[in-house]
Amino acid sequence: DFRGPLYQWYLHGNELRYEGSVLFEGQPAERIGVRNPTRYDRRYYFERDSKLLFLYTESDSIGGEPVPVTPRNRVDWHAYHEYQPLGAMLLPSVESYQHNGSVTFIFHRAQYVAPDEKLFTQRKRK
């Protein structure tokens, strides 16, 4: 999705840089680095063939400079394990992340819901 996190970071004037092709645990991937003057720097990893985002990591630096104190709100990593097709889109359906040594899993189920125009055109009177 071109309006995902990378697009938002770019809109706010953050530095995005293509870091090239890498091997991630033996698998070919593409990596993009993002520097932000007020947040931890990130690296985004995309599968080479599918171009799907599968992981981002946060470093101990902000704006390219090391942080002198122990990070508090830093997520070590955030992984995207599965995607669900919905029409012409693919949406994350299983994610996980590690923060302060704890791993959290997030499960999503997306569906199209027809709009209910009655919510806007008919009011219940009290």
Side-chain angles (χ1 to χ4, degrees):
D1 180 357
F2 75 96
R3 293 199 173 124
L6 293 177
Y7 181 76
Q8 294 300 319
W9 285 61
Y10 175 75
L11 280 181
H12 292 95
N14 297 293
E15 178 186 334
L16 278 70
R17 63 196 177 287
Y18 175 66
E19 295 181 344
S21 296
V22 297
L23 283 179
F24 185 89
E25 296 187 8
Q27 299 299 313
E30 304 295 325
R31 185 170 67 197
I32 294 177
V34 179
R35 286 188 181 169
N36 181 312
T38 61
R39 292 181 154 172
Y40 294 105
D41 298 330
R42 288 184 176 182
R43 284 196 161 140
Y44 289 85
Y45 294 86
F46 297 84
E47 290 180 353
R48 182 173 297 156
D49 293 335
S50 70
K51 308 295 187 234
L52 289 174
L53 174 66
F54 68 90
L55 177 76
Y56 73 79
T57 60
E58 288 188 334
S59 70
D60 289 337
S61 62
I62 295 177
E65 298 296 323
V67 179
V69 296
T70 304
R72 290 187 195 169
N73 297 324
R74 182 176 65 82
V75 173
D76 298 317
W77 51 263
H78 188 125
Y80 300 86
H81 305 281
E82 295 179 12
Y83 284 83
Q84 170 190 350
L86 185 64
M89 300 181 292
L90 287 174
L91 301 172
S93 58
V94 181
E95 302 175 50
S96 65
Y97 66 90
Q98 179 174 299
H99 178 262
N100 287 336
S102 294
V103 175
T104 301
F105 283 87
I106 305 166
F107 298 90
H108 305 278
R109 195 182 102 231
Q111 65 185 31
Y112 283 116
V113 176
D116 184 356
E117 297 293 329
K118 291 184 227 169
L119 293 172
F120 304 102
T121 59
Q122 298 175 5
R123 289 186 176 179
K124 290 183 180 181
R125 300 200 185 257
K126 292 183 180 184

